[in-house]
Amino acid sequence: MAYSLSNGILQVDIADVGEYSGTRFDWTGFITGVTLQQGQHTFCVPESLVSGLGSGGMGLCNEFGISRAIGYEEAAAGEWFPKLGVGLLQKVSDEPYDFFGNYPLIPFKIEEERSARSVTYTVQPMECRGYSIRLTKKITLLEDRLNISYTLENMGDKPLHTEEYVHNFVGINGANVGSDYELEIPAGLRVEDPESSYTADLLSVSGNTLSWKAEPDRPFYCKLGVWNKMDDGGFWELRHKPSGAGVRESGDFAAERMALWGEKHVISPEVFVNISILPRHSKHWSRSYQFFTL
């Protein structure tokens, strides 16, 4: 059964550890629903509306190592490598790592502490070819904010080089994507490397604001460049104009890169944090989501 945090302003639904059992997304703090109780505005949608398609994502779910899988390249086929928040995965061939792939898995041991307004996960280390990492994640409600803090401790003999991001599967009040939505990047924005001419033609940029010219009929993807340094930690703000509901993400780290993915029912701004940790060292960072009405 899902676990809910509530403070009278927000209700946040979190899947039990193991309810999502894939090898892509972090099993801890897998947030399936957020409701802003004044107005009963909802924000989380599934990655795919078609059963069996996609990789099982929903709501606010994070992933480590989408492009830098720890220890994968140096592993031989048949050996294991760590996927943070998930477990040890087995390399099945000499092909490049595929985040969509379904790898043999030995899950990490995960401990959980719950209260009415917070939940803390501790993912215990499991030694693997010189890698050993403890992940601690805490989700807390503070007024209209959902805060997520992370600590990684490198307990192994090898340095860690990877990244983390949250795949924000957002659809406000279930409204389809189109001209009713606006995405603002306070530091200024530009669309970079659209995956197709379809994406390039679909998106429109004016100043710091991105909008959609039409309702998409296929997935879209691009990188998002910014003009200015994000000194205040404010990354993006998504607004649904008819309802006045919106969400903004901020953080205490310098974004390594940003991207935008979506399709007809979902918008996913993605903010990446770079992770490089020497042996016997640790790294801490946090994200904050504010839910509001205009």
Side-chain angles (χ1 to χ4, degrees):
M1 296 292 291
Y3 181 64
S4 292
L5 304 178
S6 179
N7 64 355
I9 299 174
L10 296 176
Q11 177 176 315
V12 175
D13 301 319
I14 306 173
D16 281 335
V17 171
E19 187 173 335
Y20 165 82
S21 58
T23 57
R24 178 180 182 184
F25 297 114
D26 184 348
W27 287 18
T28 69
F30 194 92
I31 296 169
T32 59
V34 176
T35 302
L36 181 61
Q37 293 186 325
Q38 184 176 6
Q40 292 297 298
H41 299 290
T42 60
F43 297 86
C44 294
V45 295
E47 173 187 358
S48 175
L49 297 179
V50 180
S51 178
L53 293 185
S55 51
M58 183 172 185
L60 312 181
C61 51
N62 71 303
E63 178 182 9
F64 291 91
I66 186 173
S67 63
R68 283 173 278 172
I70 297 170
Y72 183 86
E73 291 186 0
E74 66 204 56
E79 291 186 325
W80 299 80
F81 63 98
K83 179 76 170 181
L84 294 177
V86 180
L88 302 186
L89 309 188
Q90 187 176 39
K91 185 173 181 176
V92 296
S93 74
D94 290 328
E95 294 296 316
Y97 173 71
D98 179 8
F99 61 88
F100 274 120
N102 188 18
Y103 293 88
L105 166 67
I106 303 173
F108 288 134
K109 179 182 178 182
I110 300 173
E111 299 170 354
E112 188 174 352
E113 295 182 12
R114 296 177 173 181
S115 70
R117 298 184 182 181
S118 70
V119 57
T120 301
Y121 303 91
T122 302
V123 184
Q124 294 296 351
M126 188 182 297
E127 201 282 333
C128 178
R129 299 176 23 255
Y131 295 105
S132 181
I133 310 109
R134 177 182 287 121
L135 166 64
T136 304
K137 182 196 288 186
K138 184 175 184 179
I139 298 173
T140 307
L141 300 188
L142 181 62
E143 298 179 342
D144 59 356
R145 291 180 178 269
L146 165 63
N147 298 322
I148 309 174
S149 67
Y150 310 76
T151 300
L152 278 181
E153 300 171 76
N154 184 356
M155 306 175 71
D157 300 323
K158 295 181 179 180
L160 301 179
H161 300 291
T162 189
E163 77 272 277
E164 184 266 354
Y165 75 104
V166 179
H167 213 322
N168 302 296
F169 296 108
V170 178
I172 299 176
N173 297 329
N176 281 347
V177 180
S179 59
D180 285 341
Y181 281 96
E182 291 181 337
L183 176 66
E184 182 179 351
I185 310 293
L189 73 94
R190 57 184 181 271
V191 171
E192 297 179 341
D193 300 328
E195 52 80 29
S196 66
S197 58
Y198 176 80
T199 293
D201 293 339
L202 176 69
L203 304 177
S204 176
V205 174
S206 176
N208 295 350
T209 302
L210 181 149
S211 58
W212 288 258
K213 298 177 184 177
E215 183 177 291
D217 59 11
R218 68 187 78 171
F220 56 88
Y221 177 82
C222 67
K223 297 178 182 177
L224 295 176
V226 298
W227 295 111
N228 303 303
K229 186 177 179 181
M230 291 182 283
D231 292 320
D232 62 355
F235 298 137
W236 56 268
E237 178 179 302
L238 181 67
R239 300 181 294 268
H240 179 242
K241 292 185 288 185
S243 67
V247 53
R248 59 178 66 96
E249 181 187 357
S250 58
D252 64 356
F253 58 92
E256 180 189 34
R257 65 186 188 275
M258 297 180 65
L260 176 67
W261 176 89
E263 52 180 299
K264 181 178 181 178
H265 72 288
V266 57
I267 297 169
S268 181
E270 302 166 354
V271 184
F272 289 77
V273 57
N274 179 59
I275 298 171
S276 291
I277 312 175
L278 294 173
R280 314 306 173 189
H281 288 69
S282 63
K283 180 180 177 67
H284 176 84
W285 71 100
S286 63
R287 301 175 183 270
S288 180
Y289 294 86
Q290 185 177 21
F291 301 88
F292 61 89
T293 54
L294 299 174

